[in-house]
Amino acid sequence: MTDTANASTEKNDFIRHIIREDLAAQKYEQIVTRFPPEPNGYLHLGHVKSICLNFGVAEEFGGICHLRYDDTNPTAEKQDYIDNIKKDVKWLGFDWVGEARHASSYFDQLYKWAVQLIEQGDAYVDLQTPEQIKDNRGSFAEPGKPSPQRDASVEENLQRFADMRNGKYAEGEAVLRAKIDMASPNMNLRDPIIYRVMHQSHHQTGDAWCIYPMYDFAHPLSDAIEGITHSICTLEFEDHRPFYEWVVDKIGKKGGIETPPHQYEFSRLNVDHTLTSKRKLKQLVDEGVVSGWDDPRMPTVAGMRRRGYTPEGLRDFCDRVGVAKADGVVDFRLLEFSIRQSLETTTARGMAVLNPLKVTITNFNDAVAQWEDLKAEGVNARWDDAQQTLWLTQPKHPNVDMGEREIPFTETIYIDQGDYELEPPKGYKRLSPEKTEIRLRNTYCLAVTEHILDEAGNVVELKATIDPTTLGKNPEGRKVKGVIHWVSASQGVPATVRLYEQLFAVEDPSSVSDVHEALNLNSLTELAAVVEPSLANSDAGTRFQFEREGYFIADSEEHSNDKPVFNQIVSLRDTFKPG
Ligand code: ATP
Ligand code: MG
């Protein structure tokens, strides 16, 4: 056990500190954690942090982690959410021990324990209306008022609870409450509701129940059933901990709880320009503001996967964020930094022109006819006469182990519109009427001889020549500054390329009550691009670095070799440095 702990990296946050001490004191044989999502939506970036923490510490300390659906509220829960949560956790690189569990499979036991509380005089059925219950809870300044049923006898309470269970009450007519303290300064201890009537079928238990336990009751007891040692949750549950401990203690050994679980709170992950609330994200899906839970702009795991984010990058991000007790907002650029880092050495490169500008090479045939003279100098190419194409063989990555690709070079090519400026800004290193020569990446140097304008004065085509001596080497007697990418017009493949900005324009979208007002209306741009064949001929889900443009992924749903579709993952670089 200690070996496993020592083998872990240097992570040493307060949770790991507690676990180390518990293990050193031999408090537990093995630690058991759980990730407990409610299946009422898709997982988001905030959940990734919780997953990395719960599964991560289990792995590091030779323990185990359960996946448990906290499915005590059937109204908003669905099988689709259950399935996708599993998929997301696995994709992040984690696995749970045993079957995925459901709080709903503990309903029988939870019911028995509720009866135990009634028998002990620790719970009662309240027949007040929901409004009365709310009004009588008091405020921070004022103690609550006891329910008229608070001191009913055990027998009366048992009968009423059985009646609740047997469907004799409508929703809102009766609830079971823990009997604690109506004057407690902690509102969560003012006789919290632990069971409510809901005449609703449940996705797991069907119509077996018309009463459902409240989260605050079901959660600690589900932890106890599963032998969870460290129940790790977010800070907003700190005020619920006294009730957590109360329930576990009251059921106690008598109810069969031998080792009580303990709750520990850490701060939620908040990232600027990002929403981490299933409810609000669901609203965007339901209203069609985004194309679905997996829209690449969504901070959901499904969205980030489709966007091309990597599990390694997301885990690295969580490691960098760390685990603390103080709330804060993490810079979104740190996430992009982690993602970018995970892509640098793993993605093949290729050329894609996002805003094509046609270039006709007027000396193409003459110049290319001489390419064989350069063979002796290591130029790796082949001429296809039928296609009038020079196929250049180039590595896919500076790490040559990643293999090679063939790039077609033809008489007409595209370069990016941004690489030819009529009125270049100061310091501009690409093409303009003054600076006419540049290197085309992976092939010859190119010199512009003429630009053609449309009626509005926009450059619509360039005429140019190539220097036949510069295939794979520098020209003699002059220096050519700057390198640009290009794609063959006849052999390149038209592709849809989607660029993204933040989905939200405001820094803290959760602070805006109407989510629509927080949206960035420019979050999606679709371009008619042209890509080299090696990019088009890829499987959906393949990630690339488009040279000079950024990292992109062949869309998992819409990409095909004939009609390629790429999503921008992240830009190539940023000035941001992680602290
Ligand atoms: P939401 O408000 O989006 O529904 P939730 O907390 O209600 O989030 P659950 O499904 O109940 O969602 O959460 C499962 C686990 O994920 C919980 O332990 C919760 O504390 C944790 N979690 C949720 N959001 C975050 C976050 N932003 N940062 C860290 N952990 C989170
Ligand atoms: Mg919740």
Side-chain angles (χ1 to χ4, degrees), residues 34-51 54 68 70 85 215 219 232-237 266-271 275-281:
R34 84 288 170 266
F35 172 62
E38 186 185 354
N40 61 349
Y42 280 52
L43 298 182
H44 53 58
L45 189 54
H47 296 117
V48 175
K49 178 169 177 181
S50 176
I51 290 168
N54 281 294
R68 184 204 314 144
D70 252 328
I85 287 170
Y215 174 86
H219 193 77
I232 306 168
C233 64
T234 35
L235 271 181
E236 66 269 26
F237 290 101
F266 69 102
S267 57
R268 288 178 74 81
L269 174 65
N270 299 306
V271 178
L275 258 188
T276 46
S277 152
K278 280 181 282 188
R279 188 175 55 80
K280 289 189 181 166
L281 293 173

Side-chain angles (χ1 to χ4, degrees), residues 65-349:
C65 183
H66 294 175
L67 171 63
R68 184 204 314 144
Y69 295 106
D70 252 328
D71 54 353
T72 54
N73 181 7
T75 24
E77 298 166 3
K78 281 205 303 209
Q79 189 61 39
D80 176 52
Y81 299 146
I82 292 179
D83 298 341
N84 277 286
I85 287 170
K86 282 188 191 164
K87 179 174 167 185
D88 290 349
V89 173
K90 289 216 163 133
W91 178 75
L92 284 167
F94 297 107
D95 205 353
W96 47 95
V97 168
E99 292 288 302
R101 295 147 209 262
H102 292 260
S104 57
S105 52
Y106 310 140
F107 281 172
D108 282 332
Q109 179 65 67
L110 295 174
Y111 182 80
K112 283 183 198 146
W113 279 338
V115 169
Q116 180 189 333
L117 288 183
I118 296 173
E119 286 168 347
Q120 289 171 187
D122 289 322
Y124 62 96
V125 172
D126 192 346
L127 301 176
Q128 297 180 100
T129 64
E131 294 70 37
Q132 287 168 330
I133 290 178
K134 194 158 161 266
D135 291 347
N136 291 336
R137 244 180 128 211
S139 64
F140 285 111
E142 251 182 275
K145 293 196 191 76
S147 154
Q149 288 83 41
R150 194 170 197 269
D151 291 319
S153 68
V154 168
E155 289 67 34
E156 272 175 308
N157 280 315
L158 286 173
Q159 185 56 51
R160 285 176 185 150
F161 191 48
D163 288 346
M164 278 174 68
R165 197 243 180 283
N166 293 327
K168 298 204 177 135
Y169 291 105
E171 290 179 26
E173 282 182 355
V175 290
L176 184 69
R177 297 179 74 172
K179 190 172 176 180
I180 308 179
D181 179 5
M182 287 304 289
S184 172
N186 182 341
M187 300 297 269
N188 297 304
L189 294 181
R190 291 192 186 176
D191 292 9
I193 296 172
I194 56 181
Y195 259 96
R196 64 213 190 284
V197 174
M198 285 176 94
H199 292 279
Q200 284 249 359
S201 336
H202 187 284
H203 49 99
Q204 302 298 313
T205 57
D207 292 321
W209 297 89
C210 62
I211 56 171
Y212 291 97
M214 299 298 285
Y215 174 86
D216 274 351
F217 178 71
H219 193 77
L221 295 176
S222 301
D223 283 347
I225 290 171
E226 294 181 12
I228 303 299
T229 55
H230 298 78
S231 179
I232 306 168
C233 64
T234 35
L235 271 181
E236 66 269 26
F237 290 101
E238 198 168 13
D239 288 349
H240 298 236
R241 177 157 28 97
F243 181 64
Y244 185 108
E245 288 169 353
W246 184 94
V247 181
V248 168
D249 181 59
K250 287 291 177 187
I251 302 298
K253 287 212 164 61
K254 186 170 169 217
I257 300 178
E258 291 300 329
T259 315
H262 289 278
Q263 174 181 308
Y264 303 92
E265 307 90 17
F266 69 102
S267 57
R268 288 178 74 81
L269 174 65
N270 299 306
V271 178
D272 64 88
H273 298 91
T274 303
L275 258 188
T276 46
S277 152
K278 280 181 282 188
R279 188 175 55 80
K280 289 189 181 166
L281 293 173
K282 181 169 186 296
Q283 188 190 342
L284 298 178
V285 174
D286 290 346
E287 292 177 358
V289 172
V290 292
S291 63
W293 285 101
D294 69 346
D295 186 304
R297 293 167 295 176
M298 289 279 272
T300 51
V301 175
M304 294 188 289
R305 176 167 56 233
R306 191 159 173 196
R307 174 77 177 263
Y309 284 14
T310 57
E312 298 76 20
L314 286 168
R315 291 202 307 263
D316 177 69
F317 169 69
C318 289
D319 285 349
R320 286 170 190 275
V321 169
V323 179
K325 270 236 174 238
D327 269 320
V329 180
V330 175
D331 193 321
F332 187 81
R333 291 173 303 172
L334 179 62
L335 174 58
E336 296 200 322
F337 174 89
S338 291
I339 299 299
R340 192 180 289 119
Q341 243 195 1
S342 72
L343 296 169
E344 225 158 74
T345 56
T346 57
T347 51
R349 299 191 184 171

